[in-house]
Amino acid sequence: MSSHSKFATWVFRGAGIYGVLLIGPMYFMEPVLVAQGQPLSHPEHFYGFVGITLSFQLMFLAMSRDIVRHRSLIPVCIVEKVLFPAAVWPLFLAGRTPGIVAAFATIDVLLALLFAISWVRTRPAP
């Protein structure tokens, strides 16, 4: 394994572990949100977001096992990491979401950048 694919392997493994640890517990957050006066008006949106996001984290982990083979999926992963901040930042600037959410969205931008670097570094040799 080249140093370029090792870098990408660790990026995707790290992103997957971080994501599972961050997103997995959200399945159990509804009682906490309700206790804070934030009942879910559309629980299907909340649980749908959690489920889809968690599935991507599992995909990152699977990709990390053979990143060169799964290189063609990296642009899709970049899009996944950019879509959340693209929604959150305008909401934050409009005062419609808290700063902590914007902070976590910023982490996704950094991961998107690392994914892009991984994509470039794992391109096939000419």
Side-chain angles (χ1 to χ4, degrees), residues 34-119:
V34 170
Q36 293 176 347
Q38 302 175 27
L40 300 178
S41 60
H42 294 283
E44 67 277 11
H45 294 173
F46 177 79
Y47 290 110
F49 165 80
V50 171
I52 290 169
T53 305
L54 187 59
S55 70
F56 258 91
Q57 310 319 302
L58 298 175
M59 186 176 87
F60 300 154
L61 290 171
M63 288 174 64
S64 76
R65 296 180 58 86
D66 191 348
I67 196 68
V68 173
R69 178 176 164 215
H70 299 295
R71 182 180 183 273
S72 64
L73 294 172
I74 294 177
V76 176
C77 298
I78 295 168
V79 170
E80 187 270 344
K81 286 297 176 197
V82 170
L83 288 176
F84 183 59
V88 168
W89 285 352
L91 291 171
F92 173 70
L93 293 172
R96 296 181 60 199
T97 197
I100 189 71
V101 177
F104 280 104
T106 302
I107 294 170
D108 274 8
V109 171
L110 296 174
L111 287 170
L113 179 61
L114 290 172
F115 287 0
I117 292 167
S118 296
W119 187 69

Side-chain angles (χ1 to χ4, degrees), residues 20-30 33 46-47 49-50:
V20 168
L21 292 174
L22 183 71
I23 299 299
M26 290 179 72
Y27 274 117
F28 309 101
M29 289 294 295
E30 186 172 6
L33 295 172
F46 177 79
Y47 290 110
F49 165 80
V50 171

